[in-house]
Amino acid sequence: MTRESITTSRFFSASPRDHIDAVEVFERNSSRVGAHRHVIDGDLGSHDHGFLEIALVLGGTALHRTVHGDKPIHRGMGIVLPAGGWHAYLNCDRLELYDCYVATDMLWNELSWTRDDPVFSQLIWSPRSLNRDGGTMFELQSDALSRAVEQCDAILRLSNDTSAINTTAAHVGRLLLLFQEMRGSAAHDFQDETAAMPAAVRTCIELFEKDVAHNWTLGELADAVSLNGSYLTRLFHRWTGLPPKSYLARWRLERAAELLLHTDKPISTIACDVGWFDSGLFARHFRARFGVSASQYREHARKPATELVPDPVVP
């Protein structure tokens, strides 16, 4: 990729606490994986995303701001930010980033196995990454960074090549190779934190997934795992970054997003199916989570490829 093709797009003109929604990023890409390479000078204000973002620092310098404060970043650093998490880049001096985007429903489906991996559970699913105001950082050695960039390049080419058969499998294959490089690097960073998720936490998550519409109470969950409710709440928060009820609320919204894409059910029916019986409350929470209404989410995600004109690629 030439330097001339590395640009700052409309996705990255974020104003303070702007929201970059999944519809905007994936409207031209039904595979739910995308990539973008760009250079930033100055400041990129605080913003959050409606998708998982993996940012690789290829060059330049900046301060990376989260709720935990400002941290200098440089070539070889990686940042994983979950859907809903916010961050900002300050004092950027030719900060060159390669961002890879993954839709949340892909995480919960094709990539759900990563929850059981001791490194990925810390890198993607842990309190440090599931906390809405946090993020996870790791270091990539030069050779690993080069291989990671190669996979991001491939994802970008797949997204831009409208003449090819653009399959989810091709995108996921490249994404898994990127994940392999991330895992190899992060394993060293997390060597003291790679214990498996406690069985009690895992059981609660499985109960939510099996019956998302059920009005789960803390007492029911505590009885199911034979723990005190207060202790369960602390344990669950430690491993997921959220108390059980908040985790369930987010899972309901992500399950609703999946149903919007893959079924023709009315939105009101989908809301009830996932446990939101107040349609107005569901609408407000859905927009807060994904940045668009449920109807807009479905409409844009289902737009035929013939109606989508790709951005020009600079040779």
Side-chain angles (χ1 to χ4, degrees):
M1 177 176 293
T2 65
R3 171 69 61 174
E4 287 75 16
S5 65
I6 304 171
T7 60
T8 301
S9 79
R10 60 196 173 97
F11 299 149
F12 301 97
S13 57
S15 58
R17 206 51 189 273
D18 199 359
H19 177 79
I20 304 173
D21 63 73
V23 169
E24 184 177 11
V25 171
F26 298 114
E27 65 180 354
R28 294 177 174 84
N29 182 0
S30 62
S31 295
R32 297 164 295 152
V33 180
H36 182 78
R37 188 169 178 171
H38 57 118
V39 174
I40 306 171
D41 278 308
D43 294 343
L44 177 61
S46 59
H47 57 282
D48 58 45
H49 317 81
F51 47 87
L52 175 77
E53 180 184 66
I54 302 163
L56 305 179
V57 182
L58 306 186
T61 59
L63 289 177
H64 182 245
R65 172 168 292 177
T66 69
V67 70
H68 305 299
D70 297 346
K71 182 174 181 177
I73 55 175
H74 52 78
R75 176 178 170 81
M77 296 189 75
I79 303 166
V80 179
L81 197 79
W86 71 269
H87 65 162
Y89 296 105
L90 306 178
N91 302 331
C92 302
D93 182 7
R94 299 299 295 169
L95 178 67
E96 186 175 343
L97 297 175
Y98 218 144
D99 292 332
C100 181
Y101 318 117
V102 184
T104 54
D105 67 302
M106 176 172 282
L107 282 179
W108 288 100
N109 291 282
E110 291 95 330
L111 301 176
S112 61
W113 57 270
T114 57
R115 286 177 294 174
D116 297 319
D117 181 277
V119 176
F120 283 129
S121 68
Q122 289 292 329
L123 189 63
I124 298 174
W125 300 96
S126 76
R128 294 194 297 176
S129 58
L130 278 181
N131 188 321
R132 292 182 62 87
D133 294 322
T136 305
M137 303 185 76
F138 60 96
E139 293 272 358
L140 285 162
Q141 296 301 315
S142 179
D143 55 345
L145 179 62
S146 296
R147 292 191 296 268
V149 168
E150 181 182 345
Q151 303 314 319
C152 290
D153 280 342
I155 291 171
L156 182 58
R157 286 195 299 270
L158 284 169
S159 300
N160 286 335
D161 187 0
T162 57
S163 64
I165 299 176
N166 199 357
T167 65
T168 297
H171 283 79
V172 172
R174 291 296 185 170
L175 182 64
L176 291 178
L177 291 173
L178 172 61
F179 274 22
Q180 176 178 308
E181 298 302 331
M182 292 167 55
R183 191 190 191 285
S185 299
H188 179 268
D189 295 341
F190 301 152
Q191 59 185 343
D192 296 325
E193 307 176 42
T194 54
M197 180 179 287
V201 176
R202 181 66 177 145
T203 296
C204 290
I205 292 174
E206 289 174 350
L207 290 172
F208 294 157
E209 293 177 357
K210 289 177 181 177
D211 193 354
V212 67
H214 181 72
N215 184 26
W216 293 101
T217 66
L218 181 59
E220 284 180 301
L221 296 172
D223 289 344
V225 297
S226 302
L227 290 178
N228 172 272
S230 297
Y231 176 73
L232 174 61
T233 298
R234 293 195 299 273
L235 183 67
F236 198 96
H237 192 282
R238 176 188 172 192
W239 278 86
T240 70
L242 297 168
K245 295 288 281 186
S246 296
Y247 187 102
L248 174 60
R250 187 171 63 181
W251 167 236
R252 285 172 168 167
L253 292 171
E254 292 176 352
R255 176 59 179 155
E258 181 184 358
L259 292 173
L260 286 166
L261 297 183
H262 301 297
T263 75
D264 293 318
K265 292 182 177 181
I267 293 174
S268 58
T269 301
I270 289 176
C272 291
D273 285 348
V274 299
W276 292 94
F277 300 103
D278 183 328
S279 58
L281 189 62
F282 168 76
R284 290 194 295 275
H285 280 271
F286 191 93
R287 181 178 287 276
R289 177 66 177 167
F290 295 103
V292 293
S293 69
S295 59
Q296 289 173 316
Y297 187 93
R298 168 179 273 173
E299 176 186 356
H300 284 271
R302 290 185 169 186
K303 189 175 293 184
T306 54
E307 296 181 18
L308 300 175
V309 178
D311 289 329
V313 178
V314 179

